[in-house]
Amino acid sequence: MCMGSSPSIPAPPPPPAAPPPPPQLADTSVQNAGIDLRDRAIAAAGPGSTILTGPLGLTQAPQTANKTLLGS
């Protein structure tokens, strides 16, 4: 039993290490090359890459089937 003395307090743990610095952005020439490559890929695809049907619409019959229950 302690008679009037305060309890000893342990020392606090050391602070965590500082986080590593964030990665630096690439050089502007590298960024411009990436943008140029992306633009060339978009241009190569052309407007035809977004059109899924021809001028006559769908020429095939639709693929439909009756629903079935599993296990029957």
Side-chain angles (χ1 to χ4, degrees), residues 16-65:
Q24 298 296 323
L25 293 177
D27 189 14
T28 56
S29 63
V30 174
Q31 290 176 348
N32 291 339
I35 292 170
D36 186 41
L37 182 64
R38 185 194 65 192
D39 290 344
R40 286 181 188 215
I42 291 171
S49 66
T50 60
I51 299 173
L52 300 178
T53 60
L56 299 176
L58 294 175
T59 58
Q60 299 173 346
Q63 296 179 358
T64 60

